[in-house]
Amino acid sequence: MSLAVAAQEALAAFAACPGWEQRARLLMQWGERLEPLSETERVDEHRVHGCESLVWLIAEQRGEHLHFRASSDARLLRGLLAVLLARVEGLPRAELASVDLVDWFNQLGLQRQLSPSRSNGLNAVLQRMRELAGS
């Protein structure tokens, strides 16, 4: 499975962090990169259910691929969403269906810090992406 440039950038950036404090700081910075959602986009129709925090997800067709935008009311979750979006950006629908969240967050060195509820929430986001992609 191929990795987009942003996903390769995420792997390199997180690999350079010696510990959790640095990774957490980097995660917050990645969260600030998310394309902002307008108030009209932060509606129940775009909400991902299954997350303890509020999470909104929007899919837009760009050429042959879907482009996702997401946001959350939780700062750490915004960072996790940002690295998830980096992983799925530009993927064909078939590859989106086979993205392994646990493996991705392990590669980033973030898996151990994911609480069960955060992990469930991110799985709900990925599942919603797959539904929106029709895969």
Side-chain angles (χ1 to χ4, degrees), residues 98-115:
S98 61
V99 167
D100 182 337
L101 269 186
V102 172
D103 180 60
W104 176 238
F105 286 104
N106 271 335
Q107 288 181 55
L108 293 169
L110 298 171
Q111 184 59 34
R112 285 193 354 217
Q113 278 70 33
L114 290 181
S115 65

Side-chain angles (χ1 to χ4, degrees), residues 82-100:
V83 294
L84 174 58
L85 293 180
R87 176 65 186 90
V88 303
E89 183 62 33
L91 289 182
R93 285 171 167 80
E95 284 190 33
L96 179 61
S98 61
V99 167
D100 182 337

Side-chain angles (χ1 to χ4, degrees), residues 37 41 43 45-48 55-59 67-71 81 84-85 124-130 132:
L37 299 183
E41 292 172 317
V43 293
E45 171 190 347
H46 299 297
R47 212 164 137 224
V48 178
V55 174
W56 299 272
L57 178 70
I58 295 175
H67 171 74
F68 294 101
R69 294 187 304 128
S71 189
L81 287 169
L84 174 58
L85 293 180
V125 171
L126 183 58
Q127 186 56 41
R128 183 70 183 131
M129 288 175 171
R130 291 173 176 154
L132 292 169

